[in-house]
Amino acid sequence: MTSLAELREHYPTEPVGNSLAKEVDRITELYARWIGSSPFCVISTVRDEGLDCSPRGDGPGFVRIRDPYTLEIPDRRGNNRLDTLRNLIADDRIGLIFLVPGVQECVRVRGRAYLSIEPEVLDSHAVQGKRPASVIVVQVERVYFQCARAMKRSRLWDAESQVPRGVLPTAGMFSEEAGAFTAAEREAYDDALEARQLGSLY
């Protein structure tokens, strides 16, 4: 398919009425309760060089609701690739998906964003005495409640569907594959990774 006309011909059924009615242009009280319970969200951004989709997580409610049209997301310590932040400097469009552990529905937010390094804003998001490097300020345009079908199909929260960590590649393995580590260096890196991450969360 290469056109909207072809797309609509292939999907002739109109959207279910409720799927449109529950979309709003602000953070309502109900959406605020959901976002305030979420310890994890995925951020999507874009620029001419490509797009990025990055996870963000912290204690429930780490994404602060400044007002019905504004969210604040602290940028905690990470790998300094800055994919999300570089994209936002070039193109302010942003998309968010909020997950709540054990809950099969999710909430989507779309809007525009900018980066704040104002001292009072950074101070307000400090954890364990450490401020985030910056805060992503999201100007909300659309908010949407997503049904549970994807979660039901994936069985994401079912304990029986969990995969033992040891059967999947480690962080060091990916670096070794890319030529950044030798086998010995990879093993040492993986052995120290858990302690290093826990010691540098903030």
Side-chain angles (χ1 to χ4, degrees):
M1 288 183 285
T2 58
S3 71
L4 292 177
E6 288 180 288
L7 180 65
R8 178 48 65 193
E9 183 178 356
H10 192 71
Y11 291 90
T13 305
E14 291 296 323
V16 177
N18 190 47
S19 70
L20 300 176
K22 61 190 175 185
E23 182 176 344
V24 297
D25 64 353
R26 67 198 181 282
I27 306 297
T28 64
E29 181 180 350
L30 295 181
Y31 280 120
R33 286 168 54 189
W34 192 284
I35 293 171
S37 298
S38 173
F40 183 87
C41 73
V42 178
I43 300 179
S44 295
T45 55
V46 65
R47 60 178 173 146
D48 289 344
E49 289 84 352
L51 54 85
D52 180 64
C53 194
S54 298
R56 292 292 191 276
D58 212 327
F62 77 100
V63 175
R64 181 177 301 160
I65 301 169
R66 181 190 291 181
D67 59 54
Y69 295 94
T70 314
L71 299 174
E72 295 180 357
I73 308 172
D75 189 61
R76 305 291 182 196
R77 293 180 65 175
N79 55 24
N80 280 334
R81 284 179 53 105
L82 306 182
D83 296 306
T84 296
L85 307 186
R86 286 188 291 116
N87 283 0
L88 289 174
I89 292 293
D91 187 323
D92 65 354
R93 290 176 294 174
I94 191 169
L96 307 168
I97 293 182
F98 289 93
L99 301 180
V100 177
V103 179
Q104 294 187 322
E105 295 84 5
C106 58
V107 163
R108 295 159 45 180
V109 174
R110 186 175 77 244
R112 306 277 176 166
Y114 64 89
L115 305 181
S116 174
I117 54 172
E118 296 178 22
E120 60 271 22
V121 175
L122 301 182
D123 287 342
S124 72
H125 286 275
V127 173
Q128 298 179 7
K130 297 179 181 178
R131 305 189 309 179
S134 65
V135 170
I136 301 170
V137 181
V138 180
Q139 298 168 319
V140 174
E141 295 178 345
R142 307 304 297 174
V143 187
Y144 178 75
F145 183 79
Q146 181 74 46
C147 79
R149 289 186 181 89
M151 295 295 190
K152 290 181 182 296
R153 288 190 289 257
S154 67
R155 299 176 60 220
L156 182 64
W157 304 124
D158 292 357
E160 297 81 8
S161 69
Q162 292 183 359
V163 178
R165 183 64 185 88
V167 307
L168 293 173
T170 65
M173 287 179 183
F174 287 111
S175 296
E176 181 184 2
E177 180 183 56
F181 288 157
T182 64
E185 289 171 335
R186 179 260 298 167
E187 186 173 348
Y189 178 88
D190 283 336
D191 287 345
L193 183 60
E194 178 72 9
R196 184 167 60 251
Q197 289 178 338
L198 289 175
S200 61
L201 291 178
Y202 300 100

